[in-house]
Every structure is written in C-alpha cells, then in structure tokens.
Amino acid sequence: MSLERLRELCELNEIDLFEKEYKKFERYRELLKKWGKRINITSILSDKEIEEKHFFDSLLGLKAFKLYGFDYHNKLLGDVGSGGGFPGVPLAITIQNSTFDLIESRHKRCVFLEQVKRELELPNVKVLCTRVESIDRNYDMLLMRAVEDPIEAIKITKHLLEKGAILCIYRGKERFSQEIPNYIIEEISFEVKGIKLRRHFLFIKSAK
C-alpha cells in the first residue's frame, strides 16, 4: 500500500481522506522528489518524511481549525510564503469547496506550484507570484508555517488582518505567550498520536 505513513497517522488522528485524495498526495510526493533538489524546494525528500513532516503536518490544521471553532468550508484562504505548497496544497486537496491562494514571491517556486495545480487537478487553487504586502483581498484566513517571529508575521499581513482575516500560524513545538497590542491571540495545542509531539497553533485577529 502506498503512502503508508500518511495513512497510519491520519487513521490514528481521525483525519479521514478518500482514496482519490490519497492518489493526489501520491502524485504530489513524486513532484516534490523530482523538483525538490532542482530548485531547492525542500531538504526533506524521503517518502516517510514527506508524508509525515509535510503532508500530515499540513493536515493537522484541520484539527486546529475545529478546536478553534473555524468552519473551513466555502472560505477564501491564503497560504503566505507557500514555498513547496505547505500547508495550502494538502488542505486544498481535502477541502475542495474552499479556495486557496498560494502566495509565493520566488518565481521558480511559483512555476512548481503551477505544475502541482495542473497535475493534481486543483481548480480551487490559485498561485499568486508576489509578496503578501502587495495583495488586497478579503481573506477569511491566512496560513503561515515555519514562522520564527509571529510579530513579524503580523507586520507583513497587517493590512489583511485589518480587513477581517484571521492569521493561523503553525507553531511546531514552540509556545508563544507574548501579548501583542491591538491583536487577539489564541493558542490551540493538542497531542499528536503516532508522533511524540504536542503541536501548537496560533490564531491571531485584529481587535479593532
């Protein structure tokens, strides 16, 4: 059976995927391995690590959204600094009635993301090859992963947060307890089964 690690983790953590969605993940993994070294998309290129650290980790957003109380259906979401498409592409595969903008300023990565969109047949994905600071759309939620400084993340998305977007930051193992004036911050944390890890997410919205 292909994608064994992804299947195992999804089952343990009650994330349900259809077989046709697993097939898209399988093709996505092939594209990552083909393009990964060529344009330096990711240093993670083994099957197991791609499935665990990229695909499954992106899908953990589904659990965090539910715990936060965000209904992710029929929404507009922006994946800021999308890079190799994480977490936007895995979420777009599973939430087909929502639209995902993959916001990425590096041209080569945009070319890769366009290829992923075509080959995985994702009509709910749009690649925006620009910086988030130049975008003016009414997002329901912005997604950011591998963010070291949430304050800097707020600075570059401030104009979109003031229009009502919620910023969701995948925090990894690190907690963030700092208060930021004019923003409401809620941390969602949970244990991940199958991996010895407690995952933290930050949800940030403007208090104005």
Side-chain angles (χ1 to χ4, degrees), residues 46-202:
S46 75
D47 288 356
K48 182 180 177 182
E49 285 191 308
I50 289 173
E51 293 169 34
E52 182 177 311
K53 296 183 178 179
H54 285 325
F55 295 169
F56 175 69
D57 189 71
S58 296
L59 293 175
L60 283 176
L62 298 170
K63 292 181 72 74
F65 299 159
K66 288 179 182 176
L67 290 170
Y68 179 67
F70 176 72
D71 177 5
Y72 48 73
H73 295 289
N74 300 302
K75 296 293 192 299
L76 175 61
L77 297 95
D79 181 6
V80 181
S82 190
F86 312 114
V89 171
L91 292 174
I93 290 172
T94 56
I95 312 173
Q96 296 171 23
N97 59 4
S98 284
T99 301
F100 290 79
D101 282 354
L102 307 182
I103 304 165
E104 173 57 54
S105 62
R106 291 162 288 189
H107 178 70
K108 288 182 179 178
R109 297 190 179 196
C110 293
V111 173
F112 168 73
L113 293 172
E114 289 285 3
Q115 176 93 0
V116 170
K117 176 189 173 182
R118 278 195 304 275
E119 296 220 16
L120 272 58
E121 298 179 351
L122 296 173
N124 60 334
V125 165
K126 186 174 182 179
V127 179
L128 303 182
C129 198
T130 186
R131 296 183 63 84
V132 68
E133 293 93 324
S134 66
I135 292 176
D136 183 18
R137 299 197 73 184
N138 293 314
Y139 290 104
D140 296 292
M141 180 170 281
L142 298 169
L143 306 164
M144 295 183 81
R145 191 166 173 255
V147 174
E148 291 186 9
D149 184 1
I151 295 175
E152 186 62 30
I154 290 174
K155 283 182 183 175
I156 64 171
T157 58
K158 180 180 178 182
H159 61 300
L160 300 175
L161 299 181
E162 289 178 349
K163 296 178 74 172
I166 300 168
L167 175 60
C168 171
I169 297 177
Y170 284 57
R171 276 295 288 176
K173 301 175 184 177
E174 304 297 327
R175 301 197 67 177
F176 182 81
S177 56
Q178 189 173 338
E179 291 187 3
I180 302 176
N182 301 319
Y183 289 92
I184 300 168
I185 303 174
E186 183 172 340
E187 185 180 70
I188 298 292
S189 304
F190 52 87
E191 298 289 341
V192 181
K193 296 177 182 175
I195 304 173
K196 292 181 179 178
L197 172 69
R198 186 167 182 82
R199 199 67 161 89
H200 304 290
F201 289 78
L202 288 183

